[in-house]
Amino acid sequence: MHPFSKTKIAVLSELMGAGDLTVSGGALCLSLGLTRQAVWKAVNALREDGYVIESIPHKGYRFVSLPKNDLDPSLIEAFLLDCPWGHPVLYWESLNSTQVPAKELARKGAPEGLIVTTSYQTSGRGRLGRRWVSAPEGGIFFSLVIRPVLPPESIQLLSLVSAMSVQDALFTLHGVRCQLKWPNDILWENSKLCGILTEVSSEPGLVHFAVTGIGINANSSNVSLDEGSETVSLSSITGKKIHRGELIAGVVRYLHGAVRGLEAPGGMKRALDEYSSRCDTLGRKVRVVSDEGEVIGEAVALGEKGEIIVRTKDGTQTFTSADVNHLRALG
Ligand code: BTN
């Protein structure tokens, strides 16, 4: 991270942490190991980004309010101050797809945990070559560079833990209990709230990097996120405006823990068991559309690499990559 943005984020985090209280310049210098001039420069830079910070003569600084842009990169980094991921966060007002710069930067050696986010995507990408439509405002679109120590053939597990991380963050921050549709859709009452796309660069035996792109219909309503599915927005569920930066940080924090857990001894089996116990697709009648055509059956289990196993009238079939539709009832 650039040393100045590190200072800015540390100052921001101290001021926000103090809430309504005034923090003296001296106390900031002492706790952060900075000069008075460095603190003053950081406060001014934050003001330029839209933070309102009061200077109270002989007392110090008081945090008043956040910038209008709830995707401000310093803020997301401050939320993730104690997390190894999320440094840096790169923000563009508009991008074709957050996957594009994230993959490019990963190829050039970007650190694990780098986040690319934007307010608007002009050519958002979904799974299976689909488009991901960006609402004009209020959506969450971000991509995260991950360097997982996993065998390439088990990389699907990364998608499964990503979905569980979104589910956990939605519950912790907003009290919303969502369903998981295999492999990585997040549904709320059968409508799609979030989609995840994981793209991987690997060679036999080695994953170079993965870029996990997450789209959440946060504040916008009545948008079609991908082609052909009913959608719902988080704000329409909670009745509140969603702070997008806070939610991105929440997801990234869970995902960091989940990926490290996946890499630990026995971690892949634990993640599979956990996903199986949460997955709404298992035990349901499903229609599976894959390169081989369409089948209808019951989703009965997951394979050890995260594939879905479907029992049909002709026996069981295993799918690694497919589009699954939940059908209303078994019969
Ligand atoms: C899907 O459900 O098909 C996956 C959708 C993934 C969308 C996200 S939005 C952020 C990132 N950038 C993209 O272009 N796609 C992913």
Side-chain angles (χ1 to χ4, degrees), residues 170-313:
L170 289 172
F171 182 66
T172 306
L173 292 172
H174 297 289
V176 171
R177 280 189 197 277
C178 297
Q179 293 81 49
L180 301 180
K181 178 164 84 83
W182 183 90
N184 49 13
D185 281 351
I186 315 284
L187 305 183
W188 193 78
E189 293 185 349
N190 295 317
S191 295
K192 188 157 167 172
L193 176 59
C194 166
I196 300 173
L197 169 72
T198 298
E199 296 181 279
V200 182
S201 160
S202 65
E203 61 182 277
L206 180 71
V207 174
H208 299 300
F209 64 82
V211 171
T212 294
I214 300 184
I216 306 176
N217 191 13
N219 292 308
S220 34
S221 51
N222 304 328
V223 286
S224 180
L225 302 172
D226 66 1
E227 290 154 356
S229 59
E230 279 182 37
T231 64
V232 63
S233 78
L234 186 54
S235 59
S236 72
I237 300 169
T238 62
K240 291 189 192 133
K241 187 156 195 264
I242 305 303
H243 192 291
R244 294 174 296 169
E246 181 189 38
L247 184 51
I248 291 177
V251 172
V252 168
R253 185 181 291 281
Y254 272 112
L255 190 46
H256 170 255
V259 171
R260 294 293 92 99
L262 199 52
E263 295 167 340
M268 295 201 271
K269 163 95 175 55
R270 269 196 304 278
L272 264 177
D273 291 347
E274 179 65 27
Y275 185 87
S276 302
S277 73
R278 298 192 195 187
C279 179
D280 202 45
T281 305
L282 294 181
R284 272 189 184 259
K285 184 177 181 183
V286 291
R287 177 189 300 114
V288 184
V289 184
S290 71
D291 290 346
E292 285 89 59
E294 185 180 307
V295 297
I296 290 186
E298 184 190 354
V300 286
L302 293 185
E304 61 179 26
K305 296 186 177 60
E307 322 88 304
I308 192 126
I309 302 170
V310 177
R311 189 168 48 220
T312 70
K313 59 180 179 16

Side-chain angles (χ1 to χ4, degrees), residues 97-99 121 123-127 132 141-143 185 192 195-197 213-215 226:
S97 155
T98 54
Q99 293 292 99
Q121 294 190 124
S123 327
R125 288 150 42 171
R127 282 178 66 238
W132 181 264
F141 317 101
F142 74 99
S143 299
D185 281 351
K192 188 157 167 172
I196 300 173
L197 169 72
I214 300 184
D226 66 1

